[in-house]
Amino acid sequence: MGKKVAIIASNGGLFDAYKVFNIATAAAATDQEVAIFFTFEGLNLIHKEANKQLPMPEGKEHFAEGFAKANVPAIPELLAMAQEMGVKLIGCQMTMDVMGLEKEAFVDGIEVGGAVTFLEFAKDADVTLTF
């Protein structure tokens, strides 16, 4: 069995999304098993509409041009890449309930589960990260 990487995504900004998906896709590309647990604002990263307009940190708007010049894929593209590479995406059931969100609001292919679902995966992970 290869290495496992467990990621908790609890923030919903653009920079947070790049951190989460860059690490996830890099790990998946090196044959590691990856799961991301999206909770609170982190759910924006897998939300069908919100992930297209994630906020840039205040005062960092000038980075938008840099992302374009460096041909950095947009978040929806990185998300699709992660899914194609087999990254497991888990939306937090409790947060969805609190925020009144249904599974249909999110990209296809996500799993909905509680902390226990994520902990099952993370209990023997080699790397655990929180963004």
Side-chain angles (χ1 to χ4, degrees):
M1 188 78 173
K3 291 190 180 235
K4 290 172 78 172
V5 177
I7 301 171
I8 297 173
S10 60
N11 293 299
L14 185 65
F15 284 14
D16 302 299
Y18 278 114
K19 293 173 202 171
V20 167
F21 292 123
N22 283 337
I23 297 285
T25 54
T30 56
D31 294 325
Q32 297 180 65
E33 193 181 349
V34 184
I36 310 170
F37 184 67
F38 298 89
T39 187
F40 294 98
E41 287 85 14
L43 283 171
N44 287 336
L45 279 54
I46 54 171
H47 190 279
K48 282 180 185 168
E49 298 306 317
N51 77 2
K52 296 174 187 156
Q53 52 198 3
L54 297 171
M56 180 83 70
E58 204 168 307
K60 305 286 186 197
E61 294 81 6
H62 60 282
F63 280 108
E65 196 177 320
F67 279 115
K69 278 185 180 168
N71 292 319
V72 175
I75 294 305
E77 292 173 58
L78 279 177
L79 172 57
M81 282 171 51
Q83 287 184 294
E84 286 166 18
M85 298 170 95
V87 173
K88 185 179 197 173
L89 309 174
I90 307 166
C92 177
Q93 180 73 64
M94 183 200 75
T95 306
M96 289 169 62
D97 291 347
V98 167
M99 294 181 171
L101 296 167
E102 299 292 327
K103 187 177 181 181
E104 292 69 38
F106 299 94
V107 295
D108 292 338
I110 71 157
E111 189 179 315
V112 176
V116 172
T117 306
F118 176 72
L119 290 170
E120 267 309 300
F121 178 89
K123 72 177 188 273
D124 57 355
D126 300 282
V127 178
T128 305
L129 303 166
T130 304
F131 295 106

